[in-house]
Amino acid sequence: MQGLHLTADLHRCACDELLLTDARALARVCRARTLAAGLTLVAEKWHTFPDFGGRPGGVTGMLLLAESHLAVHTWPERRGVTLDVYVCNLRSDNSARAEALMQALLDALQPGEAQRQSLRRGAAHPPGTASAEAEECFHPQPRHALVAGGGTLGI
């Protein structure tokens, strides 16, 4: 039960508005970027919300992956998007694939600002074992801070 969980809250996205309001357009981009990152698509579900106050509604969607999932939610009235990429590392380390997918989605959505987080899930060794304490000493959890312009700074 090891994996990498990446999240990003995107603000002021400069992408084509269709990516924020049209489930088909967003799904196409997410599928292509997911496959290009080397991840395995198993199933998907997308929903476009109805217009609200004379403006197009947002989109929510999920790709189920053999490695875990990608979840996307848009707020076109704010030009905002939240992303959630999680991969498990049972048979191989998929962390680089998760990072590549996240970066590809950031490139497609073009945020003016992004708040990104990275969380290592699970441990190579079960809690309470001597190996678990040793692992934490050698592989501390990363921390990130917001950087204007959409980047992060490891701290």
mmCIF file of all heavy atoms in Angstrom, residues 10-14 17 20 55-56 74-81:
data_model
loop_
_atom_site.group_PDB
_atom_site.id
_atom_site.type_symbol
_atom_site.label_atom_id
_atom_site.label_comp_id
_atom_site.label_asym_id
_atom_site.label_seq_id
_atom_site.Cartn_x
_atom_site.Cartn_y
_atom_site.Cartn_z
ATOM 1 N N LEU A 10 -6.020 25.174 -9.096
ATOM 2 C CA LEU A 10 -5.599 26.091 -10.154
ATOM 3 C C LEU A 10 -6.503 27.309 -10.206
ATOM 4 O O LEU A 10 -7.727 27.184 -10.131
ATOM 5 C CB LEU A 10 -5.631 25.376 -11.505
ATOM 6 C CG LEU A 10 -4.962 23.993 -11.559
ATOM 7 C CD1 LEU A 10 -5.040 23.436 -12.973
ATOM 8 C CD2 LEU A 10 -3.539 24.051 -11.053
ATOM 9 N N HIS A 11 -5.892 28.472 -10.359
ATOM 10 C CA HIS A 11 -6.617 29.737 -10.395
ATOM 11 C C HIS A 11 -6.255 30.490 -11.676
ATOM 12 O O HIS A 11 -5.140 30.394 -12.166
ATOM 13 C CB HIS A 11 -6.246 30.598 -9.178
ATOM 14 C CG HIS A 11 -6.402 29.864 -7.883
ATOM 15 N ND1 HIS A 11 -7.610 29.780 -7.231
ATOM 16 C CD2 HIS A 11 -5.513 29.160 -7.140
ATOM 17 C CE1 HIS A 11 -7.452 29.076 -6.125
ATOM 18 N NE2 HIS A 11 -6.193 28.680 -6.052
ATOM 19 N N ARG A 12 -7.223 31.237 -12.195
ATOM 20 C CA ARG A 12 -7.022 32.073 -13.382
ATOM 21 C C ARG A 12 -6.489 31.258 -14.567
ATOM 22 O O ARG A 12 -5.517 31.657 -15.221
ATOM 23 C CB ARG A 12 -6.115 33.259 -13.065
ATOM 24 C CG ARG A 12 -6.690 34.202 -12.015
ATOM 25 C CD ARG A 12 -5.859 35.456 -11.796
ATOM 26 N NE ARG A 12 -4.422 35.259 -11.693
ATOM 27 C CZ ARG A 12 -3.768 34.866 -10.595
ATOM 28 N NH1 ARG A 12 -4.444 34.639 -9.481
ATOM 29 N NH2 ARG A 12 -2.461 34.731 -10.600
ATOM 30 N N CYS A 13 -7.137 30.140 -14.861
ATOM 31 C CA CYS A 13 -6.713 29.292 -15.978
ATOM 32 C C CYS A 13 -6.932 30.013 -17.301
ATOM 33 O O CYS A 13 -8.028 30.510 -17.568
ATOM 34 C CB CYS A 13 -7.462 27.964 -15.955
ATOM 35 S SG CYS A 13 -7.017 26.937 -14.537
ATOM 36 N N ALA A 14 -5.906 30.068 -18.127
ATOM 37 C CA ALA A 14 -5.949 30.788 -19.400
ATOM 38 C C ALA A 14 -6.278 29.870 -20.582
ATOM 39 O O ALA A 14 -6.194 30.302 -21.727
ATOM 40 C CB ALA A 14 -4.606 31.491 -19.633
ATOM 41 N N GLU A 17 -12.014 28.137 -22.886
ATOM 42 C CA GLU A 17 -13.121 27.963 -21.932
ATOM 43 C C GLU A 17 -13.812 26.607 -22.078
ATOM 44 O O GLU A 17 -14.393 26.094 -21.128
ATOM 45 C CB GLU A 17 -14.144 29.089 -22.057
ATOM 46 C CG GLU A 17 -15.173 29.021 -20.938
ATOM 47 C CD GLU A 17 -16.085 30.232 -20.878
ATOM 48 O OE1 GLU A 17 -16.054 31.057 -21.794
ATOM 49 O OE2 GLU A 17 -16.839 30.323 -19.893
ATOM 50 N N LEU A 20 -13.184 24.103 -19.483
ATOM 51 C CA LEU A 20 -13.800 24.356 -18.185
ATOM 52 C C LEU A 20 -15.303 24.078 -18.187
ATOM 53 O O LEU A 20 -15.904 23.963 -17.116
ATOM 54 C CB LEU A 20 -13.555 25.813 -17.765
ATOM 55 C CG LEU A 20 -12.096 26.266 -17.717
ATOM 56 C CD1 LEU A 20 -12.014 27.747 -17.368
ATOM 57 C CD2 LEU A 20 -11.284 25.422 -16.752
ATOM 58 N N ARG A 55 -24.669 31.578 -17.293
ATOM 59 C CA ARG A 55 -23.292 31.173 -17.650
ATOM 60 C C ARG A 55 -23.193 29.647 -17.666
ATOM 61 O O ARG A 55 -23.904 28.978 -16.925
ATOM 62 C CB ARG A 55 -22.301 31.743 -16.645
ATOM 63 C CG ARG A 55 -22.306 33.266 -16.641
ATOM 64 C CD ARG A 55 -21.080 33.814 -16.013
ATOM 65 N NE ARG A 55 -19.921 33.030 -16.396
ATOM 66 C CZ ARG A 55 -18.765 33.555 -16.739
ATOM 67 N NH1 ARG A 55 -18.613 34.836 -16.764
ATOM 68 N NH2 ARG A 55 -17.748 32.792 -17.053
ATOM 69 N N PRO A 56 -22.282 29.111 -18.480
ATOM 70 C CA PRO A 56 -22.114 27.655 -18.524
ATOM 71 C C PRO A 56 -21.688 27.100 -17.165
ATOM 72 O O PRO A 56 -20.939 27.749 -16.424
ATOM 73 C CB PRO A 56 -21.003 27.443 -19.552
ATOM 74 C CG PRO A 56 -20.913 28.709 -20.316
ATOM 75 C CD PRO A 56 -21.379 29.802 -19.397
ATOM 76 N N THR A 74 -14.109 21.602 -12.331
ATOM 77 C CA THR A 74 -13.886 22.950 -12.860
ATOM 78 C C THR A 74 -14.921 23.933 -12.326
ATOM 79 O O THR A 74 -16.057 23.562 -12.023
ATOM 80 C CB THR A 74 -13.928 22.977 -14.404
ATOM 81 O OG1 THR A 74 -15.283 22.820 -14.850
ATOM 82 C CG2 THR A 74 -13.038 21.901 -15.011
ATOM 83 N N TRP A 75 -14.505 25.186 -12.227
ATOM 84 C CA TRP A 75 -15.360 26.310 -11.849
ATOM 85 C C TRP A 75 -15.130 27.400 -12.897
ATOM 86 O O TRP A 75 -14.288 28.286 -12.722
ATOM 87 C CB TRP A 75 -14.993 26.835 -10.457
ATOM 88 C CG TRP A 75 -15.444 25.944 -9.356
ATOM 89 C CD1 TRP A 75 -16.617 26.045 -8.660
ATOM 90 C CD2 TRP A 75 -14.755 24.815 -8.815
ATOM 91 N NE1 TRP A 75 -16.689 25.042 -7.722
ATOM 92 C CE2 TRP A 75 -15.551 24.271 -7.800
ATOM 93 C CE3 TRP A 75 -13.531 24.192 -9.100
ATOM 94 C CZ2 TRP A 75 -15.175 23.149 -7.073
ATOM 95 C CZ3 TRP A 75 -13.162 23.076 -8.389
ATOM 96 C CH2 TRP A 75 -13.987 22.573 -7.379
ATOM 97 N N PRO A 76 -15.877 27.346 -14.019
ATOM 98 C CA PRO A 76 -15.616 28.305 -15.106
ATOM 99 C C PRO A 76 -15.822 29.753 -14.691
ATOM 100 O O PRO A 76 -15.118 30.645 -15.186
ATOM 101 C CB PRO A 76 -16.606 27.887 -16.199
ATOM 102 C CG PRO A 76 -17.615 27.027 -15.533
ATOM 103 C CD PRO A 76 -16.952 26.419 -14.342
ATOM 104 N N GLU A 77 -16.769 30.007 -13.782
ATOM 105 C CA GLU A 77 -17.003 31.388 -13.351
ATOM 106 C C GLU A 77 -15.809 31.966 -12.608
ATOM 107 O O GLU A 77 -15.652 33.189 -12.517
ATOM 108 C CB GLU A 77 -18.269 31.467 -12.477
ATOM 109 C CG GLU A 77 -18.154 30.840 -11.100
ATOM 110 C CD GLU A 77 -18.309 29.318 -11.058
ATOM 111 O OE1 GLU A 77 -18.386 28.666 -12.120
ATOM 112 O OE2 GLU A 77 -18.345 28.778 -9.934
ATOM 113 N N ARG A 78 -14.945 31.107 -12.112
ATOM 114 C CA ARG A 78 -13.719 31.539 -11.422
ATOM 115 C C ARG A 78 -12.464 31.212 -12.227
ATOM 116 O O ARG A 78 -11.359 31.481 -11.770
ATOM 117 C CB ARG A 78 -13.614 30.838 -10.067
ATOM 118 C CG ARG A 78 -14.725 31.213 -9.130
ATOM 119 C CD ARG A 78 -14.555 30.510 -7.822
ATOM 120 N NE ARG A 78 -15.632 30.901 -6.925
ATOM 121 C CZ ARG A 78 -15.726 30.490 -5.684
ATOM 122 N NH1 ARG A 78 -14.819 29.694 -5.177
ATOM 123 N NH2 ARG A 78 -16.732 30.883 -4.941
ATOM 124 N N ARG A 79 -12.669 30.548 -13.377
ATOM 125 C CA ARG A 79 -11.564 30.042 -14.187
ATOM 126 C C ARG A 79 -10.645 29.189 -13.301
ATOM 127 O O ARG A 79 -9.435 29.285 -13.347
ATOM 128 C CB ARG A 79 -10.815 31.167 -14.893
ATOM 129 C CG ARG A 79 -11.749 31.910 -15.860
ATOM 130 C CD ARG A 79 -11.137 32.492 -17.085
ATOM 131 N NE ARG A 79 -10.404 31.637 -17.966
ATOM 132 C CZ ARG A 79 -10.926 30.968 -19.001
ATOM 133 N NH1 ARG A 79 -12.211 31.027 -19.247
ATOM 134 N NH2 ARG A 79 -10.152 30.250 -19.783
ATOM 135 N N GLY A 80 -11.291 28.351 -12.486
ATOM 136 C CA GLY A 80 -10.570 27.505 -11.538
ATOM 137 C C GLY A 80 -10.770 26.024 -11.807
ATOM 138 O O GLY A 80 -11.775 25.608 -12.388
ATOM 139 N N VAL A 81 -9.789 25.244 -11.382
ATOM 140 C CA VAL A 81 -9.815 23.793 -11.546
ATOM 141 C C VAL A 81 -9.133 23.167 -10.337
ATOM 142 O O VAL A 81 -8.135 23.697 -9.841
ATOM 143 C CB VAL A 81 -9.054 23.356 -12.827
ATOM 144 C CG1 VAL A 81 -9.024 21.840 -12.973
ATOM 145 C CG2 VAL A 81 -9.641 23.996 -14.074
#
